[in-house]
Amino acid sequence: MQLSWSQPCSSGMIQLLLVSNLLLWECVVSRPMCLDIGYKKLFLQELFDRATVIAQYTSNLTMQMSEEFDENFAKNLEYKARNSSTCHTASLTTLEINEQIQQTQSDELLKVMISISRVWYHPLEHLVCEVAARKGTCETMLSKIKELEEKNQELLEEMKGILVRVHPGAEENAYPAWMGLAEVRSDNEDTHHFALSNLLHCLRSDTDKIVTYLEVLKCQVIHNNNC
């Protein structure tokens, strides 16, 4: 016998229909949420991968550029001894010990990296101009300096993108102004060459820090510190 719309349903059938609808609703609602979380994690993974590749490439390029510049313009021991002078990024709160880095919150690590990258904007801008004006500068050296400037800007944008997605609304840290332009433009050849050499050595140190910080940050955010 078929039920007509006018016939009342039993209480058991009503409960069965309600439970079925509830399960169906939970399935419909939960799947997009899971997909959304998975997409966000995958997107973050891609951001970190891109930033890491750029950071590692920049670090290697800086090492090559530093060694090439010293070989061409700063050969004597005096330059090497003086290259221990303080970098203009020394006032930034950076982390040297591995335990300190791992215990630092992800937002603070990101802010430190962004500050380091930002503070290099003007020094690299002038470094390109000064190396281009140097007698004896070859085209490959100049192209590497220009590429360093471009890669630093790319890396900065990637890290800012990560900060926006991992910590929406977080404010970036202040960064110190660069005060070394006078030495870079000095008429004294020794002072001038040392200033350029020292900038490259400091950039090399800072790019290495960013690579290390990114590895720790990726472990914190993507792998929940299970690395």
Side-chain angles (χ1 to χ4, degrees):
M1 184 181 81
Q2 293 182 341
L3 290 173
S4 68
W5 290 108
S6 60
Q7 290 177 300
C9 293
S10 67
S11 60
M13 183 178 292
I14 293 174
Q15 289 178 353
L16 180 61
L17 288 172
L18 288 173
V19 171
S20 298
N21 287 337
L22 180 60
L23 289 173
L24 180 62
W25 176 252
E26 286 182 350
C27 181
V28 171
V29 171
S30 64
R31 285 192 63 191
M33 286 177 65
C34 293
L35 288 173
D36 187 49
I37 292 170
Y39 173 77
K40 286 181 179 179
K41 195 165 186 178
L42 179 62
F43 186 59
L44 266 177
Q45 175 83 49
E46 291 175 353
L47 282 178
F48 273 106
D49 288 345
R50 285 204 305 266
T52 301
V53 168
I54 296 171
Q56 290 174 340
Y57 181 82
T58 305
S59 179
N60 291 333
L61 186 62
T62 305
M63 179 180 67
Q64 295 172 21
M65 189 64 244
S66 178
E67 292 175 352
E68 189 173 348
F69 184 87
D70 283 354
E71 180 65 24
N72 284 275
F73 299 107
K75 287 183 179 179
N76 68 45
L77 294 175
E78 181 183 358
Y79 283 106
K80 297 190 179 198
R82 291 170 66 193
N83 271 332
S84 61
S85 67
T86 303
C87 297
H88 68 285
T89 54
S91 61
L92 291 173
T93 303
T94 55
L95 308 161
E96 304 292 343
I97 303 172
N98 193 43
E99 289 182 2
Q100 289 180 341
I101 299 171
Q102 292 178 346
Q103 291 172 3
T104 302
Q105 296 296 320
S106 58
D107 59 331
E108 288 304 318
L109 271 179
L110 272 166
K111 290 177 183 180
V112 169
M113 288 189 290
I114 289 171
S115 296
I116 291 174
S117 190
R118 275 191 179 281
V119 83
W120 276 103
Y121 180 83
H122 291 298
L124 281 170
E125 187 179 47
H126 289 288
L127 195 59
V128 170
C129 297
E130 294 303 321
V131 170
R134 283 296 86 202
K135 292 180 181 179
T137 299
C138 61
E139 285 298 319
T140 55
M141 184 185 294
L142 181 57
S143 67
K144 286 178 183 177
I145 289 289
K146 289 179 178 178
E147 191 175 11
L148 280 177
E149 182 184 24
E150 293 169 1
K151 291 300 178 185
N152 181 66
Q153 191 61 32
E154 287 179 25
L155 183 56
L156 174 60
E157 294 304 318
E158 292 291 343
M159 292 188 298
K160 286 168 64 178
I162 293 173
L163 181 64
V164 167
R165 284 162 179 81
V166 177
H167 296 285
E171 295 183 3
E172 297 176 20
N173 292 340
Y175 59 95
W178 178 54
M179 307 299 290
L181 183 58
E183 291 184 343
V184 165
R185 290 183 172 176
S186 174
D187 293 331
N188 183 286
E189 198 73 3
D190 283 351
T191 301
H192 175 74
H193 280 163
F194 166 66
L196 296 179
S197 176
N198 194 57
L199 272 180
L200 286 168
H201 278 260
C202 290
L203 179 60
R204 181 175 174 179
S205 174
D206 285 343
T207 53
D208 286 345
K209 288 176 185 175
I210 289 178
V211 170
T212 301
Y213 295 174
L214 264 176
E215 290 175 354
V216 174
L217 187 65
K218 184 177 179 180
C219 181
Q220 289 180 351
V221 175
I222 303 298
H223 303 292
N224 296 319
N225 285 318
N226 293 320
C227 300

